[in-house]
Structure formats: structure tokens, C-alpha cells
Amino acid sequence: MAENTVKSSSFNFKKTLKDNTMLLILVAVMVLFQILTGALFAPSNVNNIILQNSYVLILAAGMLLCILTGGNIDLSVGSVVCLVGAIAGKLIVDAHLPIGLAIVICLFVGTLIGAWHGAFIAYLHIPPFITTLSGMLLWRGVALIVLDGLTISPFPQKYLNLFSSYIPEVFMPELAAKALEEGAEAEAAAETLANLSLTVTMITAIAICVILIVTSLISRKTKSSKGYDVGATGPFIARLVIITLAVLGVSWKLGHYHGIPTILILIAIVVAFYTYYTQNTVPGRYLYAIGGNAKAAKLSGVNTDNVMMFAYTNMGFLSAVAALVCVARFNSAAPTAGMSYEMDAIGSCFIGGASAYGGSGTIGGAVIGAIFMGVLNNGMSLMGVDSNWQQAVKGLVLLLAVIFDVVSKQRNKK
């Protein structure tokens, strides 16, 4: 009996270690860059990492859904980001259209483009690689036509506040404006704003942690009551503690800068929604079923064509969201926008544990992959590493992640 207990404990430890490999590597890389640079965890740098990688997190959520269907990808997302950004510039800056209406039009255009790809892939059964490669060339060309090779800027401050401002400053613009002036009153306003930012940020962080813990416990209890394997209690608690400490730590850093960026709220909504969709809904599980065995899923009654249509339509929608974020961050719509964005999204998913063959992967893993890519870029930049070497390192990391996935699957088959 004792021997069996030891074996079970050893197996659980190995499984837990394997399930959290990327998270442990991320922590190790962050600690290493902090030791080497001494600036990775600086409040301003933590804020920069979030802002610089916001589009990757949004695109990775949509890309994962495509990958789940059988290792399929969407190569057009960077071009769609450029085109939707160009349309946003024309509508908001040139035509002075109301911001709300312009955003709705941009989201509709992105969704329509995704549906265009989805229709060819799902109903005409043209390979996703070819369809989206065509889209990459087509939509980039249309974007250049719309922009006429010129950059559109600047965007109105009301629009920028939606995606590139901070929570306290959005709700108290007069205090924020006063803090930028000179004199004793400005210093007092700046100190008041700083204290308010820290207080609001930490209260929000504590509320998020409480919600996370409660929902995780409820979900675990529900799965256990239905007979699902929920794993050992120890690793579950340890993971909750690590995530909670990470949320509080990042919030503490942000609170000492300007507070919670508005874009972080949008990212949290996207991550929470797609996590719930993939893990707790029937249509979400269809994505995994198709990736595992498309023929078996179809024989089981799953409309595989509709699922594929949804995955690519959704990718177009999230590309439009990322476009709105990007033009706000750069305060311009440029012909070069969106270059290699699809590679960042694909790399984040594979580094985060998504299978190159489809059928496995999580939104949480894609988020970890995106953060890892962001930390890697930021850390190497702080160290003064040449951008060419940065590209080489990112390519090598992606290759190692895919090799790890392939080798793991071969061992499981044996």
C-alpha cells in the first residue's frame, strides 16, 4: 500500500510539473532579467510591458481558437489590424465621425473580413493557410489604398482615453490636468492623484483575487460533483496562491506609476470571456473535439463547418479590437502597422502549450506565452541586445516550444 502511495505521489508531481513548465520558466526568466538589468520590475517598465503586448494578448485569444481546430492558423491578422486601423483613422480623424459609431463600424468590418475567410475555409474547404495567406496580401493592399501611403494622426484625446489612459485619470480628468501644471497646487494635485491611484488599484486587485478564488473553488467543486478528475488539492492551492501574489504584485507596481491602464480592463474581459467560453460551454468544447478528431466529431453530430466559420469570424473581430488598441497606443494609423503581428500571436499560443496538431491548449497558456514573449523582448531591450538577435532568440524559443510538444506527444503514444 505504501509503495502504491509513493508511485501515485511521484506521478502527480511529474504531471503537475509538466502542466506548469511554462509558468515556471516564465518566473525564472523574469527573475534572471531582474538580476541582470535591475529594472524589469520597475513600475514604469511593468506598465510598458502591458502596453507593448496588449495587442498580442488580444490576438492570441482568437488565434488559439483557430489552432484548437486542428493546428490551423490565421496569417492575415496583421493586415486586418492595418486595414481596420486605417479605416478608424479615416472615420475618426478625417471624417470626424462620432467615436462610438466609428468603433462599431471598425468592429463590423473586422468581423466581416473574418467571416469572408471563414466562409472559404468552412464551406468551400479551402485550406486555412492558403485562405489567410491570400487575406494577408489582399487586406494589406487595401489598407495601403485607403491610407494612400500616408500616416493619419493625431487621434482625439477622447478616443485615446478609451485605450491608452489610466482609470483614475479617466474619471478625474481635471485633477490629472492640474497635476501637469507647475506650482504648489500642482504638486498637491499630483500627490493626491498618486495616492488615489494606489488605493483604487489595490482595492481592485483584492476584489479580483477574491473573485478568482471563489470562482475557482466553485468550479472545482462542480467538476468534482460531476465525477471529473480535478487533480490533487496541493497543486491547485499552490497555483491559486501564485496567481494571487502575481496579481497583487503587478497591481502594487502599477499603483506606484499611474494606476490601472484602461487597456488592462479590456484584456481582462477578453481573457475571462474566452476562458469561460472554451472551458465551460458546449460550443467551446466543440473546438477541442474537432482538433482531436474532426471525423469523429462530425459523426457525433458536431457541425464542424459552423465551428470553423465561428473560429475565423471571431479572429476577424478580435483583429479589429487589436487594431483599435494599436492606433490609440501609437496615436496614428500607419501603412506599416500590424507587421508580423500574426507571428507574435501564433508564437504566444505555441509557447503557451497549444498543440501544433490542435485539440489542446488554453487561454491561460496563451496569456503566459504572450507575457513570456513580452518579457523576453523587454528584457533583451533593457540589456541592449540588438533587435536582429532578439528576432533570432524568439524564433529559437518558438522552435523549442513546438519540439517540446511533439516529443511529449510521441512519448505519450509509446
Side-chain angles (χ1 to χ4, degrees):
M1 178 68 73
E3 185 178 347
N4 291 338
T5 303
V6 172
K7 285 182 178 180
S8 175
S9 175
S10 176
F11 172 77
N12 288 336
F13 174 76
K14 289 181 179 179
K15 184 177 183 301
T16 302
L17 189 63
K18 181 181 176 182
D19 292 342
N20 296 279
T21 300
M22 201 59 234
L23 180 60
L24 296 174
I25 293 175
L26 172 61
V27 172
V29 169
M30 292 175 72
V31 172
L32 177 63
F33 278 130
Q34 174 62 24
I35 294 172
L36 294 175
T37 67
L40 186 74
F41 294 148
S44 59
N45 195 57
V46 172
N47 178 76
N48 287 337
I49 291 174
I50 293 172
L51 296 183
Q52 290 169 1
N53 296 279
S54 55
Y55 75 90
V56 184
L57 290 161
I58 295 168
L59 292 176
M63 191 66 71
L64 179 69
L65 270 60
C66 297
I67 292 173
L68 288 177
T69 61
N72 301 308
I73 55 176
D74 189 335
L75 295 173
S76 69
V77 295
S79 298
V80 176
V81 167
C82 183
L83 174 57
V84 174
I87 294 172
K90 285 291 184 180
L91 295 177
I92 297 174
V93 179
D94 292 351
H96 303 289
L97 219 62
I99 292 174
L101 178 59
I103 289 175
V104 170
I105 293 173
C106 289
L107 293 176
F108 177 75
V109 170
T111 305
L112 197 62
I113 292 173
W116 166 278
H117 295 154
F120 286 110
I121 293 167
Y123 303 122
L124 295 181
H125 303 291
I126 297 176
F129 183 89
I130 301 299
T131 302
T132 57
L133 177 61
S134 170
M136 180 175 71
L137 301 173
L138 171 62
W139 307 123
R140 177 70 62 176
V142 175
L144 294 176
I145 293 171
V146 171
L147 291 171
D148 196 23
L150 303 175
T151 298
I152 298 176
S153 66
F155 280 73
Q157 189 60 44
K158 287 184 178 180
Y159 177 79
L160 299 180
N161 287 341
L162 294 175
F163 301 104
S164 59
S165 187
Y166 300 87
I167 296 300
E169 296 175 7
V170 170
F171 291 101
M172 303 188 71
E174 294 180 0
L175 183 63
K178 194 171 185 178
L180 297 175
E181 298 174 359
E182 296 181 357
E185 292 185 3
E187 292 180 3
E191 185 177 354
T192 302
L193 187 63
N195 293 333
L196 183 64
S197 297
L198 180 60
T199 302
V200 171
T201 302
M202 294 312 299
I203 290 175
T204 305
I206 292 171
I208 290 172
C209 291
V210 170
I211 293 172
L212 175 66
I213 292 171
V214 171
T215 53
S216 298
L217 291 173
I218 293 174
S219 176
R220 181 180 173 85
K221 185 177 180 181
T222 302
K223 289 180 179 179
S224 179
S225 64
K226 293 181 179 179
Y228 291 102
D229 180 19
V230 294
T233 304
F236 170 75
I237 294 176
R239 190 178 183 87
L240 272 182
V241 170
I242 291 172
I243 294 174
T244 301
L245 291 176
V247 170
L248 293 175
V250 170
S251 300
W252 179 259
K253 292 292 184 179
L254 293 176
H256 281 83
Y257 189 62
H258 285 285
I260 301 174
T262 51
I263 186 59
L264 192 58
I265 303 298
L266 176 61
I267 292 172
I269 293 172
V270 170
V271 171
F273 174 81
Y274 285 96
T275 298
Y276 181 83
Y277 179 82
T278 55
Q279 300 296 321
N280 299 95
T281 67
V282 174
R285 303 311 296 178
Y286 286 166
L287 295 163
Y288 290 91
I290 293 174
N293 191 322
K295 290 182 179 180
K298 193 168 186 177
L299 291 172
S300 300
V302 177
N303 191 324
T304 55
D305 291 346
N306 286 350
V307 174
M308 292 293 290
M309 178 70 179
F310 167 77
Y312 281 90
T313 302
N314 175 74
M315 187 72 257
F317 168 77
L318 287 180
S319 296
V321 174
L324 295 172
V325 170
C326 288
V327 294
R329 177 172 175 260
F330 296 114
N331 195 16
S332 65
T336 57
M339 296 295 289
S340 299
Y341 281 16
E342 59 277 350
M343 296 297 107
D344 292 333
I346 294 167
S348 298
C349 293
F350 286 142
I351 291 172
S355 173
Y357 303 106
S360 66
T362 63
I363 296 295
V367 169
I368 291 174
I371 295 173
F372 179 85
M373 296 273 282
V375 169
L376 200 62
N377 283 333
N378 185 266
M380 289 190 292
S381 296
L382 291 175
M383 292 177 63
V385 177
D386 184 76
S387 60
N388 296 324
W389 280 103
Q390 290 186 31
Q391 291 293 329
V393 171
K394 286 165 63 178
L396 182 60
V397 169
L398 176 58
L399 177 62
L400 292 175
V402 176
I403 290 174
F404 178 79
D405 172 60
V406 172
V407 171
S408 298
K409 278 189 164 37
Q410 288 176 349
R411 286 182 178 178
N412 290 336
K413 286 180 180 179
K414 292 180 180 178

